[in-house]
């Protein structure tokens, strides 16, 4: 079975529950303003990690205090510095960060775009060369994202190129068409055409 963000999180969660790891994940969503940019991701990751470790909680609380008990918003630089302190805290379990759906970040006009900022965040995390940190990034193969991640990733999986992934999608479509009360009334040739067309357009996703 190929790894997806959900299966990755499930596997890491087992280690987390055993006290062997910390995990923070972020799902990008173009419909949610707070879930389509680097600042939203960074803030969420900090809060999740702080909830899993007393040491991380103290580090985040220090940032909170420095910003007048939350009455002032920390800068992006301060957020990064706080995460760096967490990553370098002694005697802590490995940290796993999962970012899902990076392509949901808008590649809008202007410099830099939200997507470019997120890619810069990933680049920055890797530049720390933290042996305690593991990153998993998922995305549709948008050209700009693929170009950047290809140069950064130690391991890449293209689900669109995996026959098993495409077969799973086709099987699901067949099941849906054959189990849906309205679709069951269709002619067999119509069902076959729908299954073929939907499988083609899914493109492995």
């Amino acid at each position: 079975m190929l790894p997806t963000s959900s299966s990755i999180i499930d596997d890491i969660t087992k280690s987390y529950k055993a006290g062997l790891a910390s995990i923070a994940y972020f799902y990008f969503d173009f419909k949610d303003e707070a879930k389509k940019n680097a600042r939203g991701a960074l803030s969420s990751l900090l809060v999740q990690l702080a909830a899993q470790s007393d040491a991380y909680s103290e580090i985040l609380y220090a940032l909170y205090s420095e910003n007048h008990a939350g009455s002032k918003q920390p800068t992006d630089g301060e957020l990064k510095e706080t995460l760096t302190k967490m990553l370098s805290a002694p005697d802590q379990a490995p940290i796993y960060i999962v970012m899902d759906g990076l392509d949901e970040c808008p590649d809008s006009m202007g410099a830099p775009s939200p997507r470019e900022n997120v890619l810069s965040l990933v680049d920055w995390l890797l530049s720390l060369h933290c042996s305690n940190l593991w990153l998993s990034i998922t995305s549709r193969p948008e050209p700009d994202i693929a170009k950047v991640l290809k140069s950064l990733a130690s391991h890449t999986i293209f689900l669109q190129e995996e026959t098993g992934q495409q077969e799973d999608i086709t099987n699901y479509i067949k099941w849906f068409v054959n189990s849906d009360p309205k679709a069951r009334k269709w002619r067999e040739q119509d069902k076959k055409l729908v299954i073929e067309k939907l499988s083609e357009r899914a493109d492995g996703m």
Side-chain angles (χ1 to χ4, degrees):
M1 180 181 292
L2 290 169
T4 63
S5 60
S6 296
S7 62
I8 290 169
I9 291 172
D10 288 342
D11 288 341
I12 300 172
T13 299
K14 294 176 184 177
S15 296
Y16 160 69
K17 289 181 178 179
L20 301 175
S22 293
I23 177 174
Y25 46 90
F26 190 81
Y27 298 97
F28 292 100
D29 184 352
F30 75 94
K31 294 178 291 185
D32 188 332
E33 194 64 35
K35 294 184 178 180
K36 61 180 183 180
N37 56 60
R39 185 178 178 87
L42 192 52
S43 299
S44 177
L45 297 176
L46 287 172
V47 171
Q48 290 179 64
L49 291 174
Q52 299 174 51
S53 162
D54 290 340
Y56 299 156
S57 179
E58 291 176 4
I59 292 171
L60 185 59
Y61 183 76
L63 176 66
Y64 174 78
S65 300
E66 291 166 2
N67 284 274
H68 309 295
S71 62
K72 183 170 79 74
Q73 288 293 315
T75 65
D76 290 355
E78 289 174 325
L79 293 177
K80 285 184 175 182
E81 182 181 356
T82 301
L83 182 54
T84 301
K85 291 178 180 177
M86 289 184 179
L87 294 174
S88 59
D91 304 320
Q92 297 298 305
I95 294 176
Y96 292 86
I97 292 177
V98 179
M99 296 184 181
D100 184 57
L102 197 151
D103 57 284
E104 293 278 316
C105 298
D107 186 22
S108 56
M109 296 296 291
S113 68
R115 183 180 295 182
E116 288 172 326
N117 281 333
V118 171
L119 289 170
S120 293
L121 175 62
V122 173
D123 189 17
W124 171 76
L125 284 168
L126 292 173
S127 73
L128 297 176
H129 301 294
C130 180
S131 60
N132 205 38
L133 174 65
W134 299 84
L135 282 175
S136 174
I137 314 293
T138 69
S139 172
R140 289 185 177 88
E142 301 289 342
D144 58 326
I145 295 175
K147 180 180 179 181
V148 173
L149 293 186
K150 185 177 181 180
S151 65
L152 298 175
S154 60
H155 185 66
T156 304
I157 296 175
F158 292 97
L159 294 183
Q160 288 87 348
E161 298 175 1
E162 301 290 343
T163 55
Q165 178 78 0
Q166 185 62 47
E167 183 178 351
D168 286 345
I169 292 172
T170 301
N171 288 337
Y172 173 77
I173 294 172
K174 286 180 180 178
W175 170 83
F176 180 83
V177 169
N178 290 314
S179 61
D180 181 76
K182 293 182 180 179
R184 280 193 302 225
K185 298 177 182 179
W186 298 348
R187 297 179 301 173
E188 286 303 316
Q189 57 265 41
D190 292 335
K191 290 181 183 180
K192 183 178 179 181
L193 180 62
V194 168
I195 292 169
E196 289 178 353
K197 293 300 181 183
L198 288 178
S199 297
E200 290 175 3
R201 292 179 182 178
D203 192 26
M205 299 300 290

